[in-house]
Amino acid sequence: MTPEQIIKRPILLTEKARIAQENSNKFSFEVALRANKIEIKNAVQSLFKVTVTDVNTLIVRGKMRRMGRGVAKTQNWKKAIVTLKQGDAIKFFSGSEE
């Protein structure tokens, strides 16, 4: 898989992700379900030109949602929490500081 296929989108909206980014230099991404930690590390390093020190992954289970009169389950997805080397940052997350 290419790095663009592995990293689907950043997770910016949660307060927990924002605090981890500011305090611990950790960034959260939605990644492909079949991607492993080594592939995620290499994808982040090649896309954002940073040094990754640690990768934690978890599978977020889908929820039951109402669809008209019936019920359907949303898809499971994988979240990766990437720790960067001290001093590195991803400009994509920092907003318009340029």
Side-chain angles (χ1 to χ4, degrees), residues 7-13 18 21 27-30 47-50 84 89-98:
I7 306 293
K8 291 187 176 181
R9 68 181 177 98
I11 299 173
L12 303 168
L13 301 176
R18 182 66 71 190
Q21 175 187 340
F27 296 86
S28 300
F29 296 96
E30 179 183 347
L47 284 175
F48 300 108
K49 307 293 187 261
V50 293
L84 301 182
I90 297 176
K91 301 258 191 284
F92 184 78
F93 284 93
S94 60
S96 58
E97 294 180 5
E98 296 178 30

Side-chain angles (χ1 to χ4, degrees), residues 43-95:
V44 171
Q45 287 181 347
S46 67
L47 284 175
F48 300 108
K49 307 293 187 261
V50 293
T51 304
V52 176
T53 59
D54 191 31
V55 177
N56 295 353
T57 60
L58 61 129
I59 302 232
V60 180
R61 301 291 174 195
K63 299 179 181 180
M64 299 302 285
R65 296 284 187 204
R66 290 287 307 261
M67 299 284 187
R69 289 185 287 171
V71 196
K73 183 178 172 290
T74 59
Q75 287 188 334
N76 298 338
W77 56 284
K78 187 181 247 186
K79 179 195 278 191
I81 301 169
V82 178
T83 305
L84 301 182
K85 186 179 82 171
Q86 196 65 24
D88 281 355
I90 297 176
K91 301 258 191 284
F92 184 78
F93 284 93
S94 60

Side-chain angles (χ1 to χ4, degrees), residues 5-35:
Q5 292 172 327
I6 293 172
I7 306 293
K8 291 187 176 181
R9 68 181 177 98
I11 299 173
L12 303 168
L13 301 176
T14 63
E15 185 175 352
K16 187 174 182 178
R18 182 66 71 190
I19 290 170
Q21 175 187 340
E22 293 169 359
N23 297 340
S24 306
N25 210 24
K26 294 182 179 184
F27 296 86
S28 300
F29 296 96
E30 179 183 347
V31 296
L33 265 174
R34 297 183 57 87

